[in-house]
């Protein structure tokens, strides 16, 4: 790899690396071994201030450029990311622990897709003409919001930086991005690449830190929009703080999504869906279908096939491309998962496979399946955010739909069935923002992604993201005389 794990400095502000060693130390840990691979400093007030002032100084000129010009820079950045995919993926693997087999296809590539997609869209962000009779008319202008703050989670650091940065920049905004303190490395490379592609300094700044840095960014009156990917408790705090300043928000939060498998489903395909929806990225995916409802007729066949297929999970050096199951991201996260595994056993769920933490350095735990899970168990109600699948039985469609929706969350939902009529009936009934029929967890940039209920507000990706990074100005034009009552 050509990238050093230790970046030149902690932050990327105003087109260059910036350091302030007065900030608290952030140790970056390689989850596969527990070794410290880099040390950074949390942003101080001075760093945050420079991030804000340089962003504001650059934003108006950026918004005044044509969409074609802005888009060209984003598309160039997409090309650079693709050229450097291998190095970026190795870095992402060190940052998150996710196996290289995954990071090579799901992180910088997904980020590049977002840059390419929104780069392509930038020139077509227009308003409309509204005829009003008698020659009078109105038109709308789509305008940038100004300064946007992006706050990331640790599971998809590159992807999250790009899913927020690309639409923000395409619309003519500046963005300050704060990665999760657990995975601070990759977003710095996104900033570097954008500047290399021609992005003027100040338009995409990266500042490091915990909520102590995120908090002041959210409340700063100069910030117009906040987009967060994280947990529901943090989302609630950030949303409330943003509301004080009447800021635009996008909240991409957690879930406990249902995946419903009817007994007419193709068994192997359904097992693949359940594996993708529970064990990809070691289960650390917000949209995971962790409540797997299996119709009674195929329950035992499903569990048998699933157990067989799980033998194909290969743990080991995440940089070995044949490894397909990595460690969890941190000691904190694995200990949360261990507590839930113990809770599931205490509650009387049947541990079908897995559940054990490996006796070695790093944060390794086996892919875990519980069967005979009931709706009221804690493991069926709370987001675990790890490789723990809960299998629940059901008898019929109406019953399973009601149970699937009986949650405070509403991020995603999936159904496997050979009956397409039933499939469409089910997705029409799901209380969830992102649904899948005979598939699970696909997230192409062309499709809106996001949740309802406690899982969030707004949508990322697709044309719909444009509405969350711009606003309309309406202009009324009178061609005849303007009259008044007196
Ligand atoms: O998330 P947090 P964490 C869920 C998952 C996991 C839990 C905790 O259930 O177990 O979240 O993960 C920043 N003002 N997800 O601790 O705490 C924080 O620094 C402004 C789901 O990583 O929500 C980080 O950058 N910012 C998720 C980001 O918010 C604040 C993926 C998220 O932190 C802040 C990851 C504050 N007051 C975890 N407090 C998903 N939806 O995919 C914290 N932050």
């Amino acid at each position: 790899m050509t990238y050093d794990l230790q970046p030149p400095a902690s932050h990327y502000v105003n087109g260059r690396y910036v350091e302030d060693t007065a900030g608290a130390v952030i140790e970056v840990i390689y989850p596969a071994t527990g070794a410290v691979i880099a040390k950074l400093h949390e942003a101080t007030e001075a760093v945050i201030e420079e991030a804000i002032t340089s962003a504001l100084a650059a934003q108006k000129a950026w918004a005044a450029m044509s969409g074609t010009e802005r888009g060209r820079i984003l598309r160039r950045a997409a090309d650079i990311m693709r050229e450097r995919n291998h190095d970026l993926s190795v870095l992402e693997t060190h940052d998150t622990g996710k196996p290289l087999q995954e990071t090579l296809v799901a992180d910088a590539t997904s980020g590049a897709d977002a840059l390419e997609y929104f780069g392509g869209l930038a020139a077509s962000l227009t308003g409309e003409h509204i005829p009003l009779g008698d020659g009078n008319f109105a038109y709308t202008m789509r305008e940038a919001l100004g300064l946007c703050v992006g706050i990331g989670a640790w599971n998809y650091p590159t992807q999250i930086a790009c899913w927020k940065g690309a639409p923000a920049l395409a619309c003519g905004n500046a963005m300050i991005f704060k990665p999760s303190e657990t995975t601070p490395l990759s977003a710095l490379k996104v900033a570097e690449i954008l500047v290399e592609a021609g992005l003027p300094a100040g338009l995409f700044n990266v500042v490091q830190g915990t909520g102590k840095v995120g908090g002041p960014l959210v409340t700063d009156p100069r910030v117009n929009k906040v987009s967060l990917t994280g947990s529901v408790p943090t989302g609630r705090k950030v949303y409330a703080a943003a509301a004080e300043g009447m800021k635009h928000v996008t909240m991409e939060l957690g879930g406990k999504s249902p995946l419903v498998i009817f007994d007419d489903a193709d068994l192997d395909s359904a097992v693949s869906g359940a594996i993708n929806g529970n064990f990809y990225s070691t289960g650390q995916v917000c949209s995971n279908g962790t409540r797997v409802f299996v119709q009674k007729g195929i329950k035992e066949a499903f569990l048998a096939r699933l157990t067989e297929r799980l033998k194909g999970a290969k743990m080991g050096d995440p940089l070995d491309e044949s490894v397909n199951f990595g460690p969890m991201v941190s000691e904190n996260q694995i200990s949360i998962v261990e507590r839930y595994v113990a809770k599931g056993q205490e509650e009387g769920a049947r541990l079908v496979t897995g559940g054990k933490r490996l006796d070695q350095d790093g944060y390794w735990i086996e892919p875990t399946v519980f069967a005979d899970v009931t709706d009221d168990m804690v493991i069926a109600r709370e987001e675990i955010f790890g490789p723990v699948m809960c299998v629940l039985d059901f008898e019929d469609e109406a019953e399973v739909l009601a149970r699937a929706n009986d949650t405070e969350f509403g991020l995603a939902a999936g159904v496997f069935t050979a009956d397409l009529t039933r499939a469409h009936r089910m997705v029409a009934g799901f209380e969830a923002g992102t649904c899948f029929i005979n598939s699970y967890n696909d997230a192409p940039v062309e499709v809106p992604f996001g949740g309802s209920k406690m899982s969030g507000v707004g949508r990322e990706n697709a044309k719909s993201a444009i509405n969350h990074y711009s606003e309309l100005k309406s202009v009324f034009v009178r061609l005849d005389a303007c009259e008044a009552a007196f």
Side-chain angles (χ1 to χ4, degrees):
M1 182 173 74
T2 50
Y3 291 138
D4 289 333
L5 295 174
Q6 176 68 45
S10 301
H11 321 285
Y12 197 93
V13 174
N14 204 15
R16 69 200 199 293
Y17 276 97
V18 169
E19 190 59 275
D20 184 347
T21 52
V25 171
I26 298 173
E27 290 192 332
V28 187
I29 290 172
Y30 183 34
T33 61
V36 175
I37 54 170
K39 282 189 187 170
L40 278 64
H41 292 273
E42 187 158 45
T44 54
E45 264 176 47
V47 171
I48 296 172
E49 189 56 28
E50 194 191 349
I52 293 175
T53 49
S54 65
L56 292 172
Q59 188 264 327
K60 288 217 160 36
W62 174 246
M65 280 166 67
S66 74
T68 305
E69 289 171 304
R70 286 198 303 271
R72 192 177 302 135
I73 291 169
L74 299 186
R75 284 184 289 108
R76 207 179 289 140
D79 292 342
I80 299 173
M81 284 192 85
R82 288 214 179 83
E83 279 160 27
R84 309 230 173 109
N85 183 40
H86 192 271
D87 287 352
L88 290 164
S89 303
V90 171
L91 185 70
E92 185 87 330
T93 288
H94 281 93
D95 220 0
T96 62
K98 295 191 292 181
L100 191 58
Q101 190 190 95
E102 279 190 22
T103 53
L104 281 171
V105 297
D107 292 282
T109 53
S110 164
D113 284 354
L115 290 163
E116 184 173 1
Y117 178 86
F118 289 106
L121 220 54
S124 64
L125 305 178
T126 55
E128 62 178 338
H129 173 265
I130 306 162
L132 295 170
D134 297 330
N136 299 318
F137 65 95
Y139 62 94
T140 57
M141 298 164 72
R142 186 169 286 283
E143 296 190 330
L145 299 175
L147 175 52
C148 303
V149 163
I151 299 177
W154 40 257
N155 53 349
Y156 282 83
T158 307
Q159 184 190 80
I160 293 170
C162 294
W163 280 20
K164 298 186 189 310
L169 293 170
C171 291
N173 302 286
M175 172 161 274
I176 299 176
F177 186 76
K178 190 202 80 62
S180 165
E181 60 275 24
T182 310
T183 53
L185 300 180
S186 314
L188 293 168
K189 296 298 164 202
V190 174
E192 247 185 65
I193 286 171
L194 281 164
V195 167
E196 189 181 335
L199 187 73
L203 289 167
F204 187 82
N205 293 330
V206 174
V207 297
Q208 308 290 355
T210 61
K212 284 191 201 137
V213 172
L217 283 172
V218 172
T219 50
D220 193 288
R222 294 167 290 182
V223 169
N224 307 97
K225 190 221 155 100
V226 179
S227 175
L228 169 81
T229 299
S231 61
V232 170
T234 302
R236 218 186 250 126
K237 268 191 252 166
V238 170
Y239 198 174
E244 279 295 314
M246 211 56 79
K247 294 174 189 186
H248 296 248
V249 294
T250 301
M251 294 281 141
E252 208 279 274
L253 310 175
K256 189 76 190 176
S257 301
L259 170 56
V260 178
I261 299 170
F262 285 93
D263 57 16
D264 62 352
D266 178 278
L267 185 63
D268 260 306
S269 185
V271 169
S272 293
I275 289 174
N276 290 341
N278 282 271
F279 301 124
Y280 199 73
S281 299
T282 316
Q284 303 165 120
V285 180
C286 51
S287 51
N288 271 356
T290 47
R291 288 184 297 141
V292 181
F293 292 91
V294 182
Q295 205 164 18
K296 276 197 167 152
I298 54 157
K299 177 186 166 185
E300 290 312 324
F302 174 84
L303 288 174
R305 192 73 192 110
L306 176 66
T307 312
E308 187 57 34
R309 294 268 302 270
L310 285 180
K311 290 183 189 144
K314 184 174 173 196
M315 298 201 229
D317 178 1
L319 295 167
D320 169 352
E321 279 184 53
S322 69
V323 166
N324 57 23
F325 191 81
M328 301 218 53
V329 76
S330 65
E331 180 60 43
N332 184 44
Q333 198 61 29
I334 197 170
S335 61
I336 294 173
V337 173
E338 284 183 283
R339 283 201 291 279
Y340 278 112
V341 170
K343 185 81 190 158
Q345 287 171 296
E346 239 172 78
E347 288 180 307
R350 171 161 60 103
L351 185 62
V352 176
T353 180
K356 282 195 291 298
R357 181 171 181 170
L358 304 197
D359 185 17
Q360 64 181 68
D361 288 341
Y363 316 120
W364 298 86
I365 187 162
E366 297 169 331
T368 301
V369 177
F370 280 109
D372 305 334
V373 177
T374 55
D375 297 348
D376 54 333
M377 289 181 184
V378 171
I379 57 167
R381 304 214 66 81
E382 296 181 6
E383 183 179 46
I384 298 175
F385 222 68
V388 182
M389 183 194 297
C390 292
V391 178
L392 303 94
D393 309 344
F394 77 94
E395 306 262 357
D396 68 57
E397 187 182 320
E399 166 219 335
V400 77
L401 183 60
R403 291 170 59 201
N405 287 336
D406 182 20
T407 167
E408 60 173 349
F409 300 110
L411 186 48
V415 57
F416 276 80
T417 176
D419 179 346
L420 271 184
T421 310
R422 174 160 66 191
H424 290 290
R425 252 193 333 260
M426 285 292 291
V427 295
F430 280 143
E431 296 169 0
T434 310
C435 294
F436 303 92
I437 294 176
N438 292 334
S439 190
Y440 206 86
N441 260 354
D442 316 67
V445 68
E446 298 89 341
V447 184
F449 180 83
S452 49
K453 294 158 84 175
M454 291 303 284
S455 293
V457 290
R459 293 291 177 268
E460 300 204 283
N461 287 341
K463 291 181 200 140
S464 48
I466 296 303
N467 293 323
H468 300 292
Y469 284 99
S470 61
E471 63 186 353
L472 291 175
K473 177 183 277 174
S474 299
V475 183
F476 182 90
V477 183
R478 179 174 292 284
L479 297 184
D480 52 6
C482 183
E483 293 176 4
F486 55 89

